[in-house]
Amino acid sequence: MAYHKVNADQRAQGHSPYLDNDELQATALELEWDMEKELEEPGFDHFRLDGAVQHHLGNSQSPDLDLEPIQPSSSPKGRFQRLQEDPDYVSHYTRQAPKSNRCSFFQILKVFCTALILFIFGIVIGYYARKKCPSPPTSQEPNNPHIYHEILKEIKAENIKQIYRDLLQFPREDDVDIAMKILVQWSSQGLEDVQLVNYSVLLDLPGSSSNTITLKNSGECFYPSGQQCDRETKTLHSQDLLYSYAAYSAKGTLEAELVDIQYGTVEDLIRIQAITNVTKKIALLKLGQSPLLYKLSLLEDAGFGGVLLYADPCDLPKTTDLADKAFMVSLNSGGDPSTPGYASIDGSYRQYRPNLTALLVQPISAELAKKLVSLPGDTVQKDRCIHLQLPATGKKVISLNIQSVTSYKTISNVIGYLKGTVFPDRYIIIGSHHNGLNTYGGQEWASSTAIITAFIQALMLKVRRGWRPDRTIVFCSWGGTSFGNIGSYEWAEDLKRVLQRNVVAYISLHNPVRGNSTLHPVASPSLQQLAAESQSFNCVEETRCPGSNVSSVQIQGDSDYFINHLGVPAMQFSYEDIKTSENSSFLFEALFPVHTTKTEELDPSFSLHETIAKLTGQVTLQIANEPVLPFNALDIALEVQNSLKGEEGDIPHLLAVAARLRDTAELFQSDEMRPANDPKERAPIRVRMLNDVLQSLEKSFLVHRVPPGLYRNILYRLDERTRQFSVLLEALEHCKLHQSNETIQAALSEVLNSINSAQVYFKAGLDVFETTLAGKK
């Protein structure tokens, strides 16, 4: 019988030496040792090991994991254990005594003396060899909570505050300069491999002068903030005015009637279209309730020519003072618009796309919206907020002028690796972003970067004492987030094949302290239990523990590509203000110009930052070190069943396949997750197979076609108020708008195929393990 070793000098080209690292073979080599030990047993001297097979792939430099020669049903370790359990093991495999007994006494004495001398000589050599070459230290138990405590206790609020203030010392420079300084900061903490990854992408930037809105009835001209155009420019914040725009909007001038469509829902559109022709008119639209890109797609299909976008004061948190401020939005669904679906690397075909919609879109302040609807004064009366609404009488005609400039700019990502020891080819990605938009949008980028830097600092203190995680942790600071998560999209598209196989989870630190009222954890269904447990773990010594209400809703930030294109389980902790309206969902799509002291006003002691850092660190360490990934398969099946409750229409097939999914997930969870609780069952090859199944749990739920702004991963809901699948809700609305059920049938088919695919995937995993266990008996 032959066992082929896997050569470790293959290394695929990439952005990191740890993509398919040399230590990929740790598990396989351990099994090889067991094989060799087994073959040394009596009766096995007629076996031999074949020579190592060399695999050369051109100029490749990293190993490719190949465990095919080790069949689970004939695991060397398992067979060795069975031989030991055989009561006739000695009699079966003990060598026969020599047939000849004619040995003289002197020959026996000679052999005995020789053996005795060799024995004494071996003891002496072994003693000095052991003294000079001490045995390698035994590794600590990977999922030891004591180790987590030691690391997390090094994360302190004062350290985060100092890092935050150091980051704000950066002058207003471009994306590359800020990224370079973050790289230096991470390297100074001892992170071994930190890289700067640049991409040339198409950005839509403001022009030399601000966009304007003119009332044709009175001739008054306004900037987006509501200030009149004829005021002295020195009294205006020119930076705020220039960046009050919609990136990738159509450009030009449009003069048309203003039509109030409130939140732009399907019901709003049906109501407006029943009373007026909306072709080439300008919509007055509120942020909230549903994704902006989805609402704009409805308006574009209806025939509108332009949009004035604002946030109703009744929807804004009471702690904010944003009524007189305009904002920025991006109309880019993700990535470099000139290279849709592929990376912006040298030689890529570039499509010049200066606008991503036919609509002229302009964000305006709530103050300007009040002037347009003729509602001067305070809109709050007796503790009751009055929503802005255009009067039914009177026709308002405005002229909208939008000028922005598209040009190619370099954006940079900072990528740092802390290599794992047991599974170095499995990555846990922690992502924040840095702001290259002239600090527009506040200083939340400094908050997230300070938290991730403090976590790196705490980890590296432990690494210097000899500890390492089992899986590789990848730290990322993304560029171009404000324009549509461009940095993360380009990097992930560049490494798509590697990431599809290697990424285990994505932990987001996007804008972690956006308020100070409530902790808002968001996690994909398979990680919800871990998110809830981590909150209890970190509040043992606190007087007030946060609740464990974890949801799976659409979130903002660079987790988008990992959730919607790779099907990677994701998690995010953040502090928010208490929502004042059920329409407040998706207000995060607006980037307001927040002054630099806002973060320290929200969290002067930086205790909230410390809590977010420890929660993020806790889940990262557990995912990186647990032998069996702490993912919950049954929670996915339960989420699917909950999402089908209350659905309209006849969906017996959906309910039936969802029930089968739950049954299979329960069986998988009970039978195959035992190694998570019983270390005796942690055979390396079996654990690896189990983790491969757990890692890909959510990939089945990526649907192909979704409306703009909606997640492709159907496990995520639109908001906390709705539990149904968002694609089915949208299809029902489309049916009302167009009086056709074609869309609902297509959406039902997508959901049905996703649930069935997940059920088949779980069942296949069960079959593999049953075959493996049967082969060992």
Side-chain angles (χ1 to χ4, degrees):
M1 181 185 65
Y3 176 74
H4 298 283
K5 295 183 182 178
V6 181
N7 188 28
D9 63 356
Q10 305 170 35
R11 189 180 303 277
Q13 294 179 354
H15 289 287
S16 166
Y18 306 128
L19 304 181
D20 295 333
N21 194 274
D22 293 345
E23 292 187 32
L24 271 168
Q25 309 302 326
T27 302
L29 293 180
E30 181 183 348
L31 289 175
E32 177 194 349
W33 182 90
D34 289 334
M35 170 68 85
E36 292 172 351
K37 181 177 179 181
E38 176 184 348
L39 296 181
E40 291 173 1
E41 293 296 319
F44 284 84
D45 55 339
H46 57 281
F47 289 103
R48 63 183 178 86
L49 294 178
D50 288 351
V53 179
Q54 302 292 331
H55 301 281
H56 295 288
L57 302 175
N59 295 326
S60 296
Q61 297 178 346
S62 75
D64 189 12
L65 187 61
D66 183 10
L67 294 178
E68 290 181 358
I70 306 176
Q71 297 300 326
S73 60
S74 60
S75 167
K77 186 171 183 180
R79 183 159 14 92
F80 178 65
Q81 291 173 340
R82 289 200 302 279
L83 291 173
Q84 297 284 17
E85 294 166 1
D86 189 346
D88 299 325
Y89 171 68
V90 177
S91 61
H92 286 175
Y93 297 101
T94 302
R95 296 181 183 180
Q96 295 179 356
K99 294 180 180 180
S100 176
N101 294 327
R102 296 190 297 267
C103 291
S104 67
F105 172 77
F106 294 104
Q107 289 176 324
I108 296 174
L109 182 62
K110 182 179 179 180
V111 172
F112 175 76
C113 293
T114 303
L116 182 62
I117 293 171
L118 290 175
F119 177 73
I120 297 173
F121 187 64
I123 291 177
V124 174
I125 293 176
Y127 172 77
Y128 285 102
R130 182 178 180 86
K131 189 174 181 180
K132 292 183 179 181
C133 302
S135 59
T138 57
S139 60
Q140 295 170 304
E141 180 66 22
N143 55 342
N144 185 354
H146 180 67
I147 297 177
Y148 305 162
H149 277 296
E150 288 183 353
I151 294 174
L152 298 179
K153 74 179 182 181
E154 298 296 336
I155 301 176
K156 298 181 175 63
E158 54 267 24
N159 291 346
I160 301 176
K161 187 174 185 178
Q162 185 59 50
I163 296 170
Y164 172 83
R165 290 182 172 177
D166 291 343
L167 290 169
L168 292 185
Q169 299 303 314
F170 294 171
R172 293 190 176 186
E173 298 172 352
D174 62 17
D175 186 276
V176 179
D177 292 330
I178 294 178
M180 193 64 200
K181 291 181 178 179
I182 295 174
L183 181 146
V184 171
Q185 192 177 56
W186 288 5
S187 298
S188 67
Q189 301 296 337
L191 200 59
E192 304 145 339
D193 179 29
V194 190
Q195 306 168 2
L196 195 68
V197 186
N198 297 329
Y199 297 98
S200 177
V201 300
L202 187 66
L203 299 184
D204 190 30
L205 300 167
S208 57
S209 59
S210 175
N211 299 334
T212 58
I213 301 96
T214 304
L215 295 175
K216 300 306 292 184
N217 297 349
S218 61
E220 293 179 284
C221 173
F222 296 97
Y223 291 122
S225 62
Q227 297 168 311
Q228 293 189 353
C229 302
D230 56 358
R231 291 185 58 181
E232 292 290 334
T233 55
K234 65 181 180 180
T235 64
L236 304 176
H237 299 287
S238 59
Q239 193 70 29
D240 290 353
L241 287 177
L242 289 179
Y243 280 91
S244 298
Y245 79 117
Y248 306 104
S249 164
K251 285 80 174 171
T253 302
L254 175 64
E255 182 176 320
E257 180 185 352
L258 188 65
V259 179
D260 186 3
I261 61 166
Q262 291 294 300
Y263 292 96
T265 63
V266 168
E267 288 76 11
D268 291 330
L269 281 174
I270 293 174
R271 173 178 53 83
I272 292 298
Q273 287 179 316
I275 59 177
T276 184
N277 181 11
V278 300
T279 303
K280 295 300 179 184
K281 293 185 179 179
I282 299 175
L284 184 62
L285 174 66
K286 296 180 182 180
L287 272 175
Q289 285 199 5
S290 58
L292 174 62
L293 293 184
Y294 172 61
K295 296 194 285 189
L296 292 181
S297 68
L298 295 178
L299 298 183
E300 189 173 353
D301 290 343
F304 278 93
V307 176
L308 289 184
L309 183 67
Y310 72 101
D312 195 296
C314 298
D315 298 333
L316 293 170
K318 295 179 181 179
T319 56
T320 60
D321 184 20
L322 302 172
D324 61 340
K325 293 180 174 62
F327 49 90
M328 175 203 171
V329 294
S330 175
L331 309 185
N332 180 14
S333 60
D336 177 15
S338 68
T339 57
Y342 53 95
S344 299
I345 59 177
D346 293 341
S348 297
Y349 171 67
R350 306 274 180 170
Q351 305 176 35
Y352 184 70
R353 304 169 73 195
N355 52 275
L356 300 178
T357 177
L359 297 170
L360 277 77
V361 183
Q362 176 58 55
I364 62 173
S365 68
E367 288 296 328
L368 180 54
K370 290 179 184 179
K371 295 176 183 178
L372 296 177
V373 301
S374 303
L375 280 178
D378 194 2
T379 57
V380 179
Q381 298 179 357
K382 296 181 180 180
D383 297 328
R384 185 173 65 90
C385 187
I386 302 175
H387 287 269
L388 298 182
Q389 187 173 358
L390 195 66
T393 59
K395 182 178 179 181
K396 288 186 178 292
V397 179
I398 67 170
S399 177
L400 178 60
N401 179 42
I402 294 179
Q403 302 297 331
S404 56
V405 179
T406 53
S407 61
Y408 285 96
K409 299 287 185 181
T410 299
I411 62 101
S412 300
N413 299 324
V414 185
I415 312 294
Y417 297 84
L418 176 57
K419 187 175 66 167
T421 56
V422 181
F423 306 107
D425 62 327
R426 292 298 180 256
Y427 306 152
I428 295 89
I429 297 181
I430 307 178
S432 64
H433 73 283
H434 53 267
N435 196 358
L437 190 59
N438 294 288
T439 70
Y440 195 86
Q443 301 300 319
E444 74 276 359
W445 73 271
S447 293
S448 61
T449 306
I451 289 174
I452 200 171
T453 304
F455 183 43
I456 292 173
Q457 188 179 60
L459 279 173
M460 297 314 296
L461 286 175
K462 194 69 174 176
V463 170
R464 293 187 190 100
R465 302 188 189 110
W467 173 89
R468 277 189 176 275
D470 287 352
R471 298 178 180 89
T472 297
I473 303 176
V474 185
F475 303 94
C476 304
S477 182
W478 308 113
T481 299
S482 304
F483 293 94
N485 307 319
I486 293 180
S488 56
Y489 260 74
E490 297 311 303
W491 184 77
E493 287 173 347
D494 198 2
L495 301 175
K496 182 176 181 179
R497 299 305 177 197
V498 175
L499 299 178
Q500 281 177 331
R501 183 184 63 182
N502 291 358
V503 175
V504 171
Y506 184 91
I507 312 299
S508 174
L509 278 170
H510 182 85
N511 196 3
V513 182
R514 59 195 75 165
N516 56 9
S517 301
T518 58
L519 180 66
H520 185 236
V522 175
S524 58
S526 60
L527 286 176
Q528 286 187 2
Q529 284 195 24
L530 180 61
E533 291 168 1
S534 66
Q535 295 177 72
S536 302
F537 179 90
N538 282 280
C539 72
V540 173
E541 299 178 359
E542 300 290 336
T543 56
R544 179 175 58 88
C545 294
S548 59
N549 184 23
V550 187
S551 59
S552 298
V553 295
Q554 294 192 193
I555 56 178
Q556 183 190 24
D558 292 282
S559 58
D560 181 81
Y561 190 91
F562 299 91
I563 292 173
N564 290 307
H565 295 271
L566 299 178
V568 173
M571 185 184 298
Q572 172 183 283
F573 294 99
S574 62
Y575 273 96
E576 295 185 348
D577 286 319
I578 297 175
K579 293 182 178 179
T580 57
S581 168
E582 64 177 12
N583 302 318
S584 299
S585 300
F586 296 98
L587 287 183
F588 58 72
E589 295 179 311
L591 285 177
F592 284 93
V594 183
H595 56 85
T596 57
T597 61
K598 181 65 175 177
T599 297
E600 297 200 41
E601 290 175 1
L602 286 173
D603 186 21
S605 66
F606 276 71
S607 60
L608 302 183
H609 287 74
E610 180 182 330
T611 300
I612 295 294
K614 290 186 174 181
L615 288 171
T616 301
Q618 170 67 25
V619 298
T620 302
L621 288 170
Q622 285 193 254
I623 298 173
N625 290 284
E626 295 287 342
V628 177
L629 290 171
F631 298 168
N632 198 304
L634 183 57
D635 282 354
I636 295 179
L638 295 175
E639 185 77 14
V640 169
Q641 285 195 319
N642 289 334
S643 298
L644 291 174
K645 290 180 180 179
E647 287 289 357
E648 299 179 13
D650 185 21
I651 51 172
H653 295 296
L654 275 176
L655 295 175
V657 73
R660 290 199 299 271
L661 173 64
R662 176 171 178 172
D663 292 341
T664 308
E666 284 180 341
L667 190 59
F668 180 86
Q669 194 81 20
S670 60
D671 288 354
E672 303 311 327
M673 292 299 288
R674 282 198 309 269
N677 302 315
D678 187 358
K680 295 180 180 178
E681 297 191 24
R682 291 177 188 161
I685 188 63
R686 188 174 187 274
V687 170
R688 182 71 182 214
M689 291 165 59
L690 176 57
N691 283 335
D692 287 345
V693 173
L694 293 172
Q695 182 179 328
S696 301
L697 290 178
E698 300 189 14
K699 289 180 170 59
S700 299
F701 297 96
L702 301 181
V703 297
H704 298 290
R705 296 179 299 274
V706 294
L710 270 64
Y711 270 15
R712 286 185 58 207
N713 190 329
I714 62 175
L715 293 175
Y716 289 77
R717 307 188 304 274
L718 283 176
D719 53 45
E720 285 88 350
R721 295 181 297 113
T722 58
R723 295 205 61 85
Q724 289 80 14
F725 288 118
S726 57
V727 290
L728 294 183
L729 288 176
E730 190 279 330
L732 289 171
E733 290 189 347
H734 191 275
C735 182
K736 297 175 186 177
L737 187 62
H738 297 282
Q739 300 299 314
S740 170
N741 64 351
E742 182 179 350
T743 305
I744 187 66
Q745 294 301 322
L748 285 170
S749 179
E750 288 267 20
V751 173
L752 176 66
N753 288 326
S754 295
I755 301 174
N756 184 66
S757 175
Q759 194 273 332
V760 170
Y761 179 76
F762 283 153
K763 184 65 169 58
L766 276 172
D767 292 343
V768 169
F769 285 114
E770 289 173 0
T771 304
T772 304
L773 294 176
K776 289 183 177 181
K777 293 179 181 178

